[in-house]
Amino acid sequence: MGLVRLTKAILHNEHSILTVSAYLEGEFGANDIYIGVPAVVNRNGIEKIIELQLNEEEMKKFQHSVNVLQETLDAVKDVE
């Protein structure tokens, strides 16, 4: 279902806000990582990332997710 919705947003140039895996360059305090965030999606893909104001607890949980993902990626890189 998610792929159908994403495809529709791209094909119809909807400028819809969807949660997608996007490359962060400072947004939400994270860099050099792809992670799920809200973004405007149109025929060009991700037009812009919507950087929501997170409270302290939400920011801690987001950072925890970034850390877990980064540790997993680092482990995979070490195997190569």
Side-chain angles (χ1 to χ4, degrees), residues 19-35:
T19 301
V20 294
S21 185
Y23 185 73
L24 300 187
E25 297 177 289
E27 297 87 356
F28 297 99
N31 284 291
D32 195 31
I33 195 158
Y34 285 89
I35 194 164

Side-chain angles (χ1 to χ4, degrees), residues 49-60:
I49 294 170
I50 306 297
E51 193 167 358
L52 303 172
Q53 293 293 332
L54 302 179
N55 65 35
E56 186 177 336
E57 181 181 345
E58 293 167 331
M59 194 59 160
K60 283 182 184 178

Side-chain angles (χ1 to χ4, degrees), residues 6 9-10 13 16 20 39-48:
L6 182 58
I10 293 169
N13 198 32
S16 296
V20 294
V40 177
V41 178
N42 62 24
R43 73 169 46 126
N44 297 315
I46 295 173
E47 179 179 293
K48 69 177 179 175

